């Protein structure tokens, strides 16, 4: 079964959806909850294809007219709700593309399926408007809300939807996928897996980046030369890097992997478990300088910096605090 097998992990979610189809107990509204890159969009598409498939199996046949239309994203009864403003899905978006549209019966399929990506960006007004449709949907409607962070959805919405959580995927699954399917070299696959922490999309993005080696060098340079740089120089360096190609989050994730290596080496004195094995001397050097407590503080500070940046706290200030912590410990 080609397509569903391409989905790495998420066995529980797949089983739940397949059982719902087999037993004819498909809910009218679902929340697919999991971080960006975890596979929500791919599974939403496959689930929608399955529901519309002319063979009526537990998974899409990929051969019938309906499946072919869905694969090209031009199935009239699978609607991807879009929004013009990058950071919010407004009441007009929801009214026009979903609430008004759902009153019209399906054109060809048994269902009308609405896929709302980044559903956490719906404004309170948009969510309240959607609530009525979720409470009293037409028999043929299925609404899939894909949320990177479902805590920003109203409790009135979440309580009326079936929530399926996309958990991190096992490292060995991701590593073999990167090596076998994408032909990524062993070491690069390993770093990508450590960096991605169970997120397939993230692993794929970093593993296939053309400038993977440059990105690693740039991140490690800041970490290794940090002692000789002023804090503002470190902030400028990462600002320049994250404006060029990769996001600041990617660099922070590399910092995390690095300091976890340092902590691991300090505890075990072994090279085998390290992700950045080829950086042995720099890791040993850092492990000698920092205490266990200091390293744990640094790892915590990197996580805190990521959270602050997501909440739009000032970039320079966030980075200064982080590099001061790295410096002090």
């Amino acid at each position: 079964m080609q397509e569903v097998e391409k989905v790495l992990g998420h066995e529980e979610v797949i089983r739940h959806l397949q059982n719902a189809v087999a037993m004819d107990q498909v809910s009218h509204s679902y929340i697919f909850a999991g971080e960006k890159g975890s596979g929500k969009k791919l599974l939403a598409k496959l689930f929608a294809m399955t529901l519309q498939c002319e063979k009526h199996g537990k998974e899409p046949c990929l051969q019938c007219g309906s499946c072919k239309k869905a694969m090209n994203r031009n199935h009239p009864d699978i609607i991807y709700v879009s929004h013009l403003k990058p950071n919010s899905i407004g009441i007009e978006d929801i009214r026009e593309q979903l609430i008004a549209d759902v009153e019209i019966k399906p054109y060809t399929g048994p269902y009308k399926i609405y896929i709302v990506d980044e559903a956490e960006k719906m404004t309170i007004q948009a969510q309240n408007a959607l609530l009525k449709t979720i409470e009293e949907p037409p028999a043929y409607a299925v609404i899939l809300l894909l949320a990177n962070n479902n805590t920003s959805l109203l409790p009135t919405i979440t309580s009326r939807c079936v929530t399926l959580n996309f958990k991190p995927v096992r490292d060995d699954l991701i590593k073999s996928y990167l090596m076998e399917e994408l032909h990524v070299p062993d070491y690069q696959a390993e770093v990508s897996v450590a960096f991605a922490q169970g997120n397939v999309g993230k692993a794929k993005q970093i593993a296939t980046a053309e400038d993977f080696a440059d990105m690693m060098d740039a991140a490690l340079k800041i970490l290794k030369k940090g002692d000789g740089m002023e804090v503002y120089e470190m902030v400028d360096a990462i600002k320049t890097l994250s404006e060029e190609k990769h996001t600041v989050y990617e660099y922070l994730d590399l910092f995390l992997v690095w300091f976890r290596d340092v902590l691991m080496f300090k505890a075990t004195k072994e090279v085998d478990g390290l992700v950045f094995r080829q950086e042995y001397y720099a890791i040993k050097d850092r492990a000698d300088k920092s205490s266990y407590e200091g390293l744990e503080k640094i790892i915590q500070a990197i996580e805190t910096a990521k959270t602050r940046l997501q909440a739009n706290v000032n970039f320079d200030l966030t980075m200064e605090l982080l590099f001061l912590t790295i410096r002090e410990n």
Side-chain angles (χ1 to χ4, degrees), residues 129-273:
L130 180 60
L131 190 58
K132 190 156 172 22
T133 307
I134 286 180
E135 282 174 332
E136 299 164 16
Y140 49 76
V142 177
I143 296 166
L144 307 178
L145 302 175
L146 319 186
N148 300 335
N149 168 10
N150 58 337
T151 51
S152 33
L153 292 175
L154 294 173
T156 42
I157 296 261
T158 52
S159 63
R160 287 169 177 80
C161 298
V162 174
T163 298
L164 299 174
N165 289 306
F166 282 59
K167 300 189 179 87
V169 176
R170 288 202 331 265
D171 287 355
D172 56 322
L173 280 179
I174 302 181
K175 188 178 173 186
S176 57
Y177 164 74
L178 292 177
M179 290 175 70
E180 288 159 24
E181 297 284 323
L182 304 178
H183 312 295
V184 171
D186 187 350
Y187 164 68
Q188 197 164 326
E190 207 159 297
V191 175
S192 307
V193 166
F195 167 91
Q197 295 175 6
N199 182 317
V200 182
K202 218 186 217 179
K204 192 172 158 184
Q205 185 185 357
I206 192 82
T208 55
E210 285 173 16
D211 54 353
F212 177 84
D214 300 344
M215 179 185 169
M216 295 260 298
D217 287 347
L220 294 177
K221 202 173 277 175
I222 293 179
L223 292 172
K224 291 195 287 193
K225 293 193 175 168
D227 290 353
M229 293 166 85
E230 292 294 333
V231 167
Y232 76 87
E233 290 177 304
M234 294 167 86
V235 173
D236 285 347
I238 194 147
K239 193 175 205 167
T240 309
L241 285 175
S242 58
E243 277 167 1
E244 280 169 9
K245 276 191 184 155
H246 295 276
T247 67
V248 68
Y249 299 108
E250 289 174 317
Y251 287 105
L252 290 177
D253 282 335
L254 281 175
F255 286 6
L256 263 184
V257 176
W258 163 268
F259 279 109
R260 286 202 185 107
D261 266 2
V262 175
L263 187 60
M264 174 110 161
F265 181 79
K266 192 170 181 69
T268 64
K269 296 285 180 280
E270 284 176 14
V271 180
D272 284 352

Side-chain angles (χ1 to χ4, degrees), residues 16 23 32 45-46 51 70 81 85 87 103 108 122-123 128 149 154-155 171 233-234 258 262 324:
H16 178 99
M23 296 161 76
F32 286 12
K45 179 182 170 183
L46 290 172
L51 292 177
V81 174
K85 288 186 187 163
N87 292 321
E103 299 303 326
T108 58
M122 283 191 289
T123 61
N128 280 323
N149 168 10
L154 294 173
D171 287 355
E233 290 177 304
M234 294 167 86
W258 163 268
V262 175
L324 278 170

Side-chain angles (χ1 to χ4, degrees), residues 269-297:
K269 296 285 180 280
E270 284 176 14
V271 180
D272 284 352
L274 302 183
V275 176
F276 290 122
R277 281 192 289 278
Q278 84 294 16
E279 295 292 335
Y280 166 73
Y281 293 108
I283 284 174
K284 180 181 181 306
D285 183 45
R286 183 76 213 205
D288 292 341
K289 285 181 185 164
S290 296
S291 66
Y292 286 112
E293 194 188 1
L295 289 169
E296 277 167 5
K297 271 187 189 154

Side-chain angles (χ1 to χ4, degrees), residues 33-141:
E35 61 174 28
K36 190 176 163 58
S38 58
K40 305 186 298 290
K41 237 189 287 190
L42 176 58
L43 259 182
K45 179 182 170 183
L46 290 172
F47 182 47
M49 283 168 71
T50 304
L51 292 177
Q52 304 289 29
C53 178
E54 290 159 27
K55 299 266 170 71
H56 307 299
K58 280 204 304 186
E59 46 202 34
C61 75
L62 310 183
Q63 305 299 323
C64 69
S66 172
C67 280
K68 284 180 178 159
K69 278 191 200 128
M71 281 194 282
N72 298 325
R73 265 177 92 143
N74 57 13
H75 193 298
D77 297 320
I78 300 176
I79 296 103
Y80 291 85
V81 174
S82 60
H83 52 107
L84 288 173
K85 288 186 187 163
N87 292 321
S88 75
I89 302 175
I91 189 165
E92 289 310 317
D93 299 317
I94 292 296
R95 268 196 191 134
E96 284 167 24
Q97 298 172 64
L98 201 160
I99 299 168
D101 190 80
V102 80
E103 299 303 326
I104 305 161
K105 287 198 166 65
Y107 296 98
T108 58
Y111 294 95
K112 270 191 111 165
I113 301 162
Y114 296 86
I115 297 174
V116 185
D117 192 19
E118 302 183 305
E120 74 280 359
K121 290 183 175 176
M122 283 191 289
T123 61
I124 301 289
Q125 293 86 339
Q127 292 188 52
N128 280 323
L130 180 60
L131 190 58
K132 190 156 172 22
T133 307
I134 286 180
E135 282 174 332
E136 299 164 16
Y140 49 76

